[in-house]
Amino acid sequence: MSRRDIEFTSEGTTLRGWFYPADNANGKLPTVVMAHGFSAVKEMYLDRYAEHFAANGLNVLVHDNKSFGDSDGLPRQEIDPWLQVRGYRDAITYACTMEETDPSRIGVWGSSFSGGHAIVLGAIDSRVKAVVSQVPLINGYENLRALVRPDFIDGLRASFDEDRLNRFRGEEPVMVPVVDEDPLASSALPTPDSYEWFTKTGETRAPNWRNEVTQRSLEYLSEYIPESFIDKVSPTPLLLMPAENDVLAPTRFAIAAYEKAFEPKKMIILPGGHFDAYVDAFELSSGEALAWFQNQL
């Protein structure tokens, strides 16, 4: 499997990643653009998806989001969804300049937080001709309330305001853990499966992953509602793949949002929880995504 390191500029910041040319290919071919979800870096199984797609006739461009992994950007570990969407759009532009790419056949793939980005991109970027959204964030406002106890919400909002004031004064941003072994402790993703997946995957595949994000990342999460774009993706084909028992990005949000989308669309419910898509359900999730891209591109 051939792979080369790439870098491109997005709003003055260098983003880095990998380009996988399709195996044994000639001429210009479809290209899939990918990035990872909340705090995750490309080494956390995106290479497996890219290798599978490239082995079956698709070019793939994988990049780390701004301020994460190998990409530049300050403050580090800050998740701004709209900056990440624009990073995807700059990745698409870069991909279109490559000699291997047919610019009229661009697909986007996203998972979890970036699954929301894929929906938004399908609605706003006319260059996107096929969308795959896996275990997606659908509604950050509601999702935060599904993860945080109601009696903690006011305190969380107060901490957002305090952090905003301190940053205005020139102080460093407050950092919070992405995950914690204790689901009742303060963390961005307070579910046991989040702790298990991030710590295990970080140790075995991605030593450059860091267990922290800025607190403002949670405020941005609460303001981000990809669901508001899902009825605008059509006529671009949309494949939505929620997990059947997703407690991090609740399954019910994705199924309800799917009903708002117009044709052409397809939904595959993956077995297991949020993170099983990358491991136990990898063959299904990657196979369905591959078939979608092959059929639509």
Side-chain angles (χ1 to χ4, degrees):
M1 175 66 62
S2 62
R3 178 180 93 185
R4 65 180 185 261
D5 294 337
I6 55 97
E7 62 179 48
F8 58 93
T9 300
S10 179
E11 301 190 1
T13 299
T14 299
L15 305 187
R16 298 182 178 87
W18 300 316
F19 183 74
Y20 292 77
D23 284 1
N24 303 315
N26 294 309
K28 294 182 177 294
L29 294 172
T31 299
V32 175
V33 176
M34 308 174 65
H36 222 316
F38 193 95
S39 89
V41 295
K42 62 187 183 302
E43 289 82 2
M44 291 171 142
Y45 293 102
L46 293 198
D47 49 345
R48 289 189 70 194
Y49 285 92
E51 289 167 3
H52 184 60
F53 297 161
N56 289 278
L58 301 172
N59 301 317
V60 186
L61 191 154
V62 182
H63 68 282
D64 276 328
N65 290 305
K66 180 182 177 180
S67 302
F68 289 87
D70 292 332
S71 289
D72 293 345
L74 296 174
R76 298 301 294 174
Q77 304 298 114
E78 179 149 286
I79 302 168
D80 183 330
W82 290 107
L83 279 178
Q84 293 187 356
V85 166
R86 295 199 294 274
Y88 256 102
R89 300 187 80 178
D90 291 328
I92 291 169
T93 300
Y94 176 66
C96 288
T97 69
M98 293 181 164
E99 62 181 12
E100 296 95 337
T101 296
D102 179 350
S104 69
R105 292 188 287 170
I106 297 291
V108 293
W109 180 100
S111 187
S112 193
F113 200 69
S114 67
H117 300 345
I119 293 169
V120 173
L121 288 159
I124 68 175
D125 197 318
S126 61
R127 297 172 298 176
V128 175
K129 304 304 181 186
V131 174
V132 172
S133 177
Q134 174 178 288
V135 294
L137 172 77
I138 291 295
N139 186 320
Y141 183 88
E142 296 296 344
N143 210 137
L144 193 70
R145 281 155 178 75
L147 294 174
V148 179
R149 279 176 36 176
D151 55 326
F152 288 176
I153 292 291
D154 286 348
L156 182 63
R157 285 293 181 192
S159 69
F160 291 163
D161 296 340
E162 182 179 6
D163 180 54
R164 186 176 291 275
L165 180 60
N166 290 339
R167 291 172 73 145
F168 181 80
R169 292 169 172 162
E171 298 178 19
E172 291 297 313
V174 171
M175 308 299 291
V176 297
V178 177
V179 294
D180 192 283
E181 186 173 11
D182 180 0
L184 297 180
S186 176
S187 68
L189 307 178
T191 66
D193 61 338
S194 297
Y195 176 79
E196 179 180 1
W197 187 83
F198 273 103
T199 54
K200 180 178 179 180
T201 307
E203 290 172 359
T204 60
R205 298 180 63 91
N208 61 337
W209 175 75
R210 290 168 53 185
N211 186 20
E212 62 176 3
V213 291
T214 65
Q215 187 177 61
R216 186 160 68 175
S217 300
L218 297 180
E219 186 173 20
Y220 285 150
L221 166 66
S222 72
E223 300 166 355
Y224 186 48
I225 306 178
E227 181 181 15
S228 61
F229 290 87
I230 200 165
D231 63 337
K232 302 170 181 65
V233 175
S234 177
T236 302
L238 169 66
L239 173 62
L240 197 69
M241 293 195 290
E244 65 180 348
N245 187 30
D246 196 329
V247 296
L248 183 61
T251 310
R252 67 184 187 278
F253 293 163
I255 293 175
Y258 180 78
E259 297 304 316
K260 300 177 183 178
F262 295 103
E263 299 288 347
K265 64 179 181 177
K266 181 179 180 180
M267 181 165 63
I268 299 292
I269 299 181
L270 302 173
H274 187 82
F275 298 98
D276 289 312
Y278 307 106
V279 188
D280 293 343
F282 171 78
E283 289 189 10
L284 178 60
S285 66
S286 63
E288 290 289 347
L290 172 65
W292 189 253
F293 286 132
Q294 288 176 327
N295 290 336
Q296 304 300 337
L297 300 179

